[in-house]
Amino acid sequence: MATDAGVPVISDGLQYWETQPATYDGVLGGFGTGSLPRIESCGSRLFLLHLLPSLSNVPSAFRPLVSSSGRPKRIRALDVGAGIGRVTSDTLLHLVDDVVLLEPVASFVQQALARGRASLDISNPEPVRWRGIAERVKSVTFLQGTLQEFDPMNPHRVKFLDRVGYEPARPHDDIGMGFDVIWCQWCLGHLSNEDLVDFFKRCKSALRDKESVIVIKENLCPDTAGQATIVFDDQDSSLTRSDKTWKTLFEAAELSLVQEKIQEGLPHGLYVVKMCVV
C-alpha cells in the first residue's frame, strides 16, 4: 500500500478544527456559500432514498403507495463527526425520525446545539429551524466525543449535552437500541486504519436489523499505479484514502460493499467524493 508518512493525531486534528469558524464555510473548507451545500445534501438524500425507499414521506417513484398506518417504528440515525449539524439538518432530518449527533470539536458541537435549540422556537423562519423539532415529531440528541472512544451501543465514554424535539416516555430506553442508518461523512480521515476498522466493527454491531446501513461519504485520492494509496495532510492531521484502500478496510472490518456512487455537481479541482454503503 502506497502511503505518505504520517498518522492522524487526535489532539492535532482537534486543534486545527478549533481554529475554523463554526459555520458552513468553516466546516466545508471555504465552500459553504453558493450551490455546493444544497447539491451535496440533495445527492445524499437521493442516495439514501434509493437504498431505503421506505424513508420517502411523500408519494413518489421511491414510494408510490403510502400506508395509512404510517411507519411501524421510529427510524433512528447516527451522524458522526457531525460538525455544526449540517448533515443532520439538511440530509437526515428530511428522512428519519431521530438523530444522534456526535462531534468532538467543542465550538462545532456547541453551534450545532444552539441551532437545535433555536429550532424549538416555532416563530423562527423556516430556513433556521430544523425539520420536525419545534413540532416535537423528530428529535436530535447531542453528544461530544471522538470516534476513537465512541461505541454506538455503549455511548458512556462521550459527553451527553442535550436532546431537542420529540421525547419518548423513557428516553434512556434509546440507549442500546441501535440504528437504522449510521452516517459517516468527511470525518473518517481522522482515524488511523486500525482505529477505523475497530470503529466499523462497533458500528456493525449497532445496526438494528438486516435492512440497516452504514453510509460512508469521503474524499478519494487516486490509486497509484493500480495500488491502494493513502495521503497524509499534516495541516489537519488527516488521511485521504484511495478507492482500493477503502475496500481493503471494509474487508478487514468484515463489511460487504452494497452500493457506491460518486457525488456529482461539485466544483472542479477538488478530490472525488464517493458515497459507499456497507
Side-chain angles (χ1 to χ4, degrees):
M1 182 180 293
T3 179
D4 288 349
V7 176
V9 176
I10 298 173
S11 58
D12 291 349
L14 292 175
Q15 184 176 6
Y16 169 80
W17 286 110
E18 286 285 6
T19 68
Q20 304 305 302
T23 62
Y24 274 34
D25 222 28
V27 298
L28 291 174
F31 289 92
T33 56
S35 62
L36 185 147
R38 178 170 176 77
I39 289 172
E40 187 279 323
S41 62
C42 285
S44 294
R45 293 202 302 257
L46 287 170
F47 185 64
L48 192 52
L49 280 170
H50 276 292
L51 291 167
L52 301 172
S54 61
L55 297 185
S56 179
N57 49 29
V58 295
S60 68
F62 295 109
R63 191 183 184 192
L65 300 177
V66 179
S67 170
S68 60
S69 62
R71 289 175 176 165
K73 64 178 181 181
R74 294 185 65 83
I75 305 299
R76 289 168 48 80
L78 171 64
D79 179 11
V80 300
I84 63 171
R86 187 187 65 87
V87 170
T88 287
S89 63
D90 297 358
T91 299
L92 296 175
L93 282 176
H94 287 263
L95 301 174
V96 308
D97 302 302
D98 303 297
V99 179
V100 175
L101 179 159
L102 174 74
E103 168 57 39
V105 178
S107 59
F108 287 177
V109 74
Q110 286 299 322
Q111 177 62 14
L113 180 56
R115 295 178 68 209
R117 286 173 173 168
S119 298
L120 291 167
D121 184 356
I122 198 73
S123 67
N124 275 337
E126 180 61 29
V128 174
R129 290 191 290 115
W130 290 3
R131 183 181 293 262
I133 299 301
E135 298 80 6
R136 300 185 187 275
V137 295
K138 296 175 181 274
S139 77
V140 180
T141 300
F142 300 85
L143 305 177
Q144 183 177 356
T146 65
L147 275 66
Q148 288 88 342
E149 64 185 342
F150 180 63
D151 181 346
M153 295 299 282
N154 298 284
H156 308 294
R157 295 181 63 189
V158 298
K159 183 179 180 181
F160 170 81
L161 299 178
D162 200 1
R163 176 175 180 150
V164 298
Y166 169 80
E167 192 84 24
R170 294 162 50 112
H172 281 80
D173 287 351
D174 281 359
I175 298 175
M177 184 179 290
F179 296 93
D180 302 284
V181 177
I182 297 179
W183 194 278
C184 316
Q185 179 168 344
W186 288 331
C187 61
L188 299 182
H190 288 285
L191 280 72
S192 68
N193 286 350
E194 294 78 9
D195 285 342
L196 182 53
V197 169
D198 288 343
F199 176 69
F200 279 154
K201 289 179 178 178
R202 296 194 298 271
C203 287
K204 183 178 180 180
S205 297
L207 297 176
R208 293 178 81 176
D209 54 47
K210 64 180 181 179
E211 304 298 326
S212 303
V213 295
I214 303 170
V215 180
I216 296 97
K217 188 169 188 177
E218 291 284 348
N219 296 342
L220 295 184
C221 66
D223 292 308
T224 303
Q227 298 298 311
T229 302
I230 299 175
V231 175
F232 179 70
D233 185 339
D234 59 7
Q235 183 180 34
D236 66 355
S237 192
S238 70
L239 303 175
T240 302
R241 299 173 168 97
S242 71
D243 189 62
K244 285 193 173 181
T245 302
W246 280 108
K247 289 172 181 175
T248 298
L249 294 171
F250 295 156
E251 184 177 353
E254 300 180 351
L255 295 170
S256 299
L257 180 63
V258 175
Q259 193 169 335
E260 56 187 334
K261 182 176 176 58
I262 299 294
Q263 170 69 60
E264 298 176 348
L266 300 185
H268 294 293
L270 300 179
Y271 275 127
V272 170
V273 175
K274 179 178 272 192
M275 296 173 279
C276 295
V277 179
V278 292

